[in-house]
Amino acid sequence: MMVLLRHLTGDVLRRLRQRQGRTLREVSADARVSLGYLSEVERGQKEASSELLSSICGALGVPLSQVLRDVADQLALAELQEAALLSGSVPAESVPSPERLGIDPVPDRVPDVVEMVGV
C-alpha cells in the first residue's frame, strides 16, 4: 500500500475548506482555478503545482507552509502504519488511525515552535 502525496494534499485542502463552511465554487473563484480542477485536486486525482497550491491556500487564507506541514504529518503517520503492518509486529486491526490516537488530521492552529520544543 503506497500513500500518494496528491491524496493527502487533497484531503487536507478539502478539510480546511469544509471547516470554513465554504463551497468548491467559492474557493475556486477566489483561487482563480476551475471548479472541476479544484474538485480533482481535492479528490487526489490531479497533482497540484506549487503555484496552484499557493493560490488555493491564499483563497483559504491559510499559509502554504501550514498545508505542507499537515500533509507531512499525515504522510509520517501513514508511513508508521505501513511499517507496522509490513513488519507483522502488529495486527492490522490494532494499527491506530490518527483519529483513534486523538490526532486532528487538520489542526485548527499550528503550535508555536517554542511550544513544540518546550522552551
Side-chain angles (χ1 to χ4, degrees):
M1 173 186 107
M2 180 175 66
V3 177
L4 296 178
L5 199 56
R6 69 175 185 259
H7 291 161
L8 296 176
T9 303
D11 289 344
V12 168
L13 292 172
R14 182 177 45 258
R15 286 188 190 119
L16 286 167
R17 177 182 59 75
Q18 289 173 339
R19 279 201 179 158
Q20 293 178 7
R22 298 181 65 198
T23 65
L24 274 169
R25 187 173 307 283
E26 292 168 340
V27 175
S28 68
D30 289 348
R32 297 181 183 201
V33 61
S34 76
L35 184 138
Y37 195 81
L38 179 58
S39 175
E40 288 179 312
V41 167
E42 283 193 2
R43 287 181 282 137
Q45 294 177 335
K46 294 285 184 187
E47 191 90 45
S49 68
S50 57
E51 292 87 358
L52 180 61
L53 277 176
S54 181
S55 183
I56 295 167
C57 289
L60 292 169
V62 177
L64 175 59
S65 60
Q66 177 184 334
V67 169
L68 294 176
R69 273 192 300 273
D70 293 345
V71 170
D73 289 347
Q74 292 302 304
L75 181 58
L77 285 171
E79 289 171 340
L80 288 172
Q81 291 169 341
E82 187 175 358
L85 290 173
L86 290 176
S87 73
S89 63
V90 178
E93 60 276 0
S94 66
V95 175
S97 67
E99 292 80 7
R100 280 186 44 208
L101 291 172
I103 298 170
D104 188 353
V106 182
D108 286 327
R109 75 175 192 80
V110 178
D112 233 4
V113 172
V114 171
E115 184 181 328
M116 290 172 57
V117 294
V119 176

